[in-house]
Amino acid sequence: ACNTGHLLFNLKQLGAGSCVGIDRGDLARQQSILKQVTGIHDIDFRRGGWSSDTHSIQALGADERFDIVMCTAFAQHISDPLHLIKELSCRTRKALFLHTSVGRFNSGMSIRYRPTETHLTWGDEFPNNMDTRVSRKLLTWSLKECGFKEIIHLKHSRDWLPHSWYRQFFTAVCLK
């Protein structure tokens, strides 16, 4: 869910080699504006998304792997975030940057599903009509089970996230 690709443009400006961004929406017009403004024209934007039916990322070839994978504010909007974690792990060679909303409950290894009307454009039946909250403990355990050797939780900074939100999010760099 790269949206306009603003993070990818930042990575290219910092010297990243190739960048691939995937989003379900048709954002070609917005991406074109960013290309003109930045002068960066070699980001590979693809239209696709997460399939809860196949537990896979549409728009990627079966053998595509990346040094760094980023998943920001997306996992909490699907019904099967642990399948997503497994898929992201399979696509990651070195590091996964994961930023997702988590449950505020301390009941161990838990997942809570909450029906929501905000996702009606994705479908009005399970698995497309849910927001999902995974406990920090389950998310951490799942990342380790998927082969991430080190999970570095990023500390709060007022520069990027309001403090009132920080407790609700899991923000980490996960290293293979």
Side-chain angles (χ1 to χ4, degrees):
C2 72
N3 201 285
T4 61
H6 59 280
L7 292 174
L8 297 171
F9 284 100
N10 286 338
L11 288 171
K12 287 297 281 185
Q13 288 175 329
L14 292 170
S18 63
C19 292
V20 175
I22 300 170
D23 200 282
R24 188 170 289 211
D26 182 8
L27 298 161
R29 187 176 135 270
Q30 294 89 334
Q31 292 161 348
S32 176
I33 292 167
L34 283 172
K35 287 177 183 180
Q36 290 175 2
V37 169
T38 63
I40 297 170
H41 299 279
D42 60 345
I43 296 174
D44 181 3
F45 288 108
R46 301 179 192 176
R47 192 143 180 213
W50 175 252
S51 169
S52 291
D53 295 331
T54 62
H55 302 297
S56 63
I57 302 170
Q58 300 161 336
L60 287 179
D63 61 341
E64 285 188 272
R65 307 281 182 273
F66 304 92
D67 289 338
I68 300 170
V69 173
M70 297 173 62
C71 183
T72 57
F74 174 72
Q76 71 264 22
H77 296 302
I78 62 172
S79 63
D80 50 355
L82 300 183
H83 286 282
L84 175 67
I85 296 299
K86 181 180 176 188
E87 177 69 5
L88 293 174
S89 173
C90 291
R91 300 292 182 165
T92 302
R93 284 192 202 112
K94 296 180 181 179
L96 166 67
F97 173 79
L98 180 62
H99 175 73
T100 188
S101 185
V102 291
R104 284 189 172 192
F105 41 91
N106 292 322
S107 55
M109 306 255 250
S110 301
I111 298 177
R112 291 198 183 145
Y113 298 99
R114 183 181 66 163
T116 178
E117 293 182 25
T118 60
H119 301 301
L120 290 179
T121 58
W122 299 347
D124 61 358
E125 295 180 4
F126 185 83
N128 298 315
N129 67 335
M130 296 286 171
D131 263 0
T132 307
R133 298 297 182 265
V134 177
S135 68
R136 290 177 189 277
K137 187 173 182 178
L138 179 58
L139 193 51
T140 300
W141 178 84
S142 298
L143 287 162
K144 288 180 179 178
E145 284 295 306
C146 286
F148 291 101
K149 306 270 187 254
E150 187 174 359
I151 299 167
I152 304 165
H153 295 272
L154 302 182
K155 295 184 191 258
H156 176 261
S157 169
R158 283 182 275 175
D159 295 337
W160 63 273
L161 189 66
H163 194 270
S164 60
W165 286 18
Y166 183 71
R167 291 171 297 161
Q168 300 174 38
F169 283 88
F170 179 99
T171 306
V173 175
C174 311
L175 304 174
K176 287 273 182 148

